[in-house]
Amino acid sequence: MRMTRAEAKQRNRRALLDAARLIVARDGHRAKLEEIAEQSGLTTGAVYSLFGSKNGLLIALVTDYLTPHYDGIEQAVPAGMGLIEAVEVFARHYRRLCDDPDALRHLSFEISLQDLALRDPELAPKLAASVRAHEERLTALLSGRLHNGAAVTPRQAQRLSTALRALLAGLSQGVILGLAAAPGDYFAAAARALVSPDVLGPP
């Protein structure tokens, strides 16, 4: 059975994203569009047709990488939990990701993307915007949860989300690289400590 035009487009898009992830993780800022296309079994023309440019492909790659991560967070932290419990569950979820057999490969990919952003002044703000868009999902997840008898405001949730992401990303890198053997309880306690007036700020 022949694929429809839409199915073929989606297949090619997936092939290019998968190839780009492999090449970027391996080569960092030296990743070449020609090698990505070759790895996918397509041409550079397919990249321009589907993503507009190499940078367009890389931005789509960030979204493709982060979306399952934040989908998992939303599933791990159901509605109805208070803020403290939600933060602890979120932290333990983050810690479990460190035990994924592919955790080191994921970290290598993340560092390679940061390297790309540092070296390309046009790409950096676009990648940052993509990351911020996904961080907004965490902000929305924390907004409205009860803490000390009051609902957390979007402003407070945003401040907490930024701090949590920075803390847990740093702790996770240490675990993945073998620098620390921090268990889930430690992640939860460190994250819980951020739920303070100094971090949350005024409503």
Side-chain angles (χ1 to χ4, degrees):
M1 183 176 177
R2 293 182 60 185
M3 284 190 292
T4 65
R5 191 182 191 90
E7 288 171 338
K9 182 177 179 180
Q10 183 59 32
R11 180 202 61 186
N12 291 345
R13 187 177 189 279
R14 181 75 265 158
L16 284 166
L17 287 170
D18 289 344
R21 187 163 172 177
L22 287 171
I23 301 298
V24 167
R26 187 190 72 193
D27 298 342
H29 71 277
R30 294 183 298 276
K32 291 182 169 53
L33 192 59
E34 293 78 10
E35 289 191 42
I36 293 172
E38 182 180 356
Q39 175 72 28
S40 71
L42 298 167
T43 65
T44 55
V47 176
Y48 290 103
S49 174
L50 290 167
F51 299 100
S53 64
K54 178 183 177 181
N55 281 357
L57 171 60
L58 294 174
I59 293 163
L61 186 60
V62 173
T63 298
D64 186 70
Y65 175 72
L66 289 177
T67 295
H69 175 66
Y70 280 92
D71 285 347
I73 290 170
E74 290 178 352
Q75 292 171 10
V77 187
M81 281 184 178
L83 182 65
I84 292 288
E85 185 181 4
V87 165
E88 290 178 347
V89 169
F90 170 51
R92 292 179 188 281
H93 172 77
Y94 228 101
R95 175 59 183 84
R96 286 194 297 274
L97 294 177
C98 298
D99 296 326
D100 187 310
D102 289 328
L104 187 59
R105 185 167 60 84
H106 294 326
L107 178 58
S108 174
F109 173 69
E110 291 170 8
I111 292 172
S112 295
L113 283 176
Q114 293 169 12
D115 181 43
L116 281 165
L118 288 171
R119 294 171 183 273
D120 189 334
E122 292 184 3
L123 180 60
K126 295 176 181 177
L127 288 176
S130 181
V131 172
R132 276 196 299 271
H134 283 82
E135 189 173 294
E136 287 172 5
R137 292 181 64 179
L138 178 58
T139 298
L141 188 66
L142 298 177
S143 295
R145 294 183 186 271
L146 292 179
H147 179 59
N148 290 340
V152 176
T153 67
R155 179 184 178 186
Q156 291 175 318
Q158 190 277 322
R159 287 169 59 90
L160 180 58
S161 296
T162 299
L164 280 170
R165 192 172 64 82
L167 170 71
L168 296 175
L171 288 175
S172 295
Q173 286 183 15
V175 172
I176 294 168
L177 294 173
L179 302 176
D185 288 347
Y186 181 84
F187 269 58
R192 186 171 61 245
L194 292 177
V195 186
S196 68
D198 288 338
V199 174
L200 291 175

